[in-house]
Amino acid sequence: MAPGLLDLVHLTTWAVCAVIKLPQLVAVLRAGSAWGLSLSSLLLELAGYLVFLRYQIYYGYPLETYLEYPIIIAQDVVLIYCIMHFSGKARRAFFYALIYWGSWYMLTLQKWIIDLAMNLCTFVSAASKLVQLQHLWQTKDSGQASALTWGMSVYTCAARITTTVMTTNDLAVLIRFIIMLILNIWVTATVLHYRKTKKTD
């Protein structure tokens, strides 16, 4: 892939990630409800993002291969707080913040910890998508779940598969993005299915 095309993929990924959670946030704030969203899914997703970001920094990978993660993490934190607020669990936010903050520092105490965490990160991130799918299947209602947010996640995973192959060629990272791509497509399709089903009822 030509360097110009690689730069374009990086730029479009950053642009999409700069607003990736905004459709979801807008839907939750407009409705004053987090119906259709799984808090557990988002907490797992945040854990996966934090481990992935820490791994990239620890190994000194090029900034352009993970620059979007601090932006996504910040948006996830706001979304999680909104969901906790609307579900009456806002007091728990401080507890979760302490756990994530402590984990951030523990991850790099030894090399084997960050390597193990990265391998487990794929399972944690996959679990976050599966928990959201389970929530959708149980409620049979997409509620405030944003198909646009999930669709943008599909694009960013596909883009990061390309950039990983062209830059670091890290197999653990590549496997993670492939699995996330498949699961993001599945969640997007499920959200659209239940949205369509609800409209026809």
Side-chain angles (χ1 to χ4, degrees), residues 4-192:
L5 187 53
L6 184 61
D7 290 340
L8 179 63
V9 174
H10 284 309
L11 287 172
T12 58
T13 301
W14 300 331
V16 168
C17 288
V19 297
I20 197 165
K21 297 291 181 171
L22 293 183
Q24 189 62 76
L25 276 167
V26 168
V28 168
L29 292 172
R30 276 189 184 156
S33 165
W35 182 255
L37 298 173
S38 167
L39 178 60
S40 299
S41 171
L42 284 164
L43 291 169
L44 287 168
E45 179 180 70
L46 180 60
Y49 287 157
L50 288 168
V51 168
F52 186 76
L53 176 62
R54 194 67 163 156
Y55 178 86
Q56 296 279 324
I57 293 168
Y58 182 82
Y59 281 104
Y61 285 154
L63 181 63
E64 59 270 6
T65 63
Y66 63 88
L67 184 61
E68 69 271 16
Y69 279 86
I71 299 164
I72 297 172
I73 289 168
Q75 291 177 58
D76 247 3
V77 167
V78 172
L79 181 58
I80 288 169
Y81 182 77
C82 287
I83 291 170
M84 289 179 151
H85 173 74
F86 288 124
S87 59
K89 299 176 183 175
R91 291 184 181 177
R92 294 184 189 174
F94 182 72
F95 171 74
Y96 287 118
L98 282 177
I99 289 174
Y100 286 119
W101 180 77
S103 300
W104 174 262
Y105 289 100
M106 291 178 57
L107 283 170
T108 55
L109 290 177
Q110 298 210 5
K111 181 184 180 300
W112 70 267
I113 296 173
I114 191 67
D115 289 340
L116 177 63
M118 180 58 195
N119 289 323
L120 293 175
C121 169
T122 300
F123 294 108
V124 169
S125 295
S128 79
K129 311 306 182 209
L130 293 172
V131 167
Q132 181 62 46
L133 281 166
Q134 180 186 23
H135 184 76
L136 290 167
W137 295 331
Q138 285 177 341
T139 63
K140 296 186 181 347
D141 183 359
S142 60
Q144 307 315 315
S146 169
L148 181 56
T149 291
W150 286 101
M152 288 190 286
S153 294
V154 169
Y155 171 77
T156 60
C157 284
R160 284 303 175 209
I161 289 169
T162 304
T163 61
T164 300
V165 168
M166 298 308 300
T167 56
T168 64
N169 213 20
D170 185 314
L171 186 60
V173 172
L174 190 59
I175 289 170
R176 179 184 186 280
F177 282 128
I178 292 169
I179 292 170
M180 293 307 100
L181 174 66
I182 293 165
L183 291 173
N184 283 331
I185 291 170
W186 195 358
V187 174
T188 304
T190 305
V191 168
L192 290 171

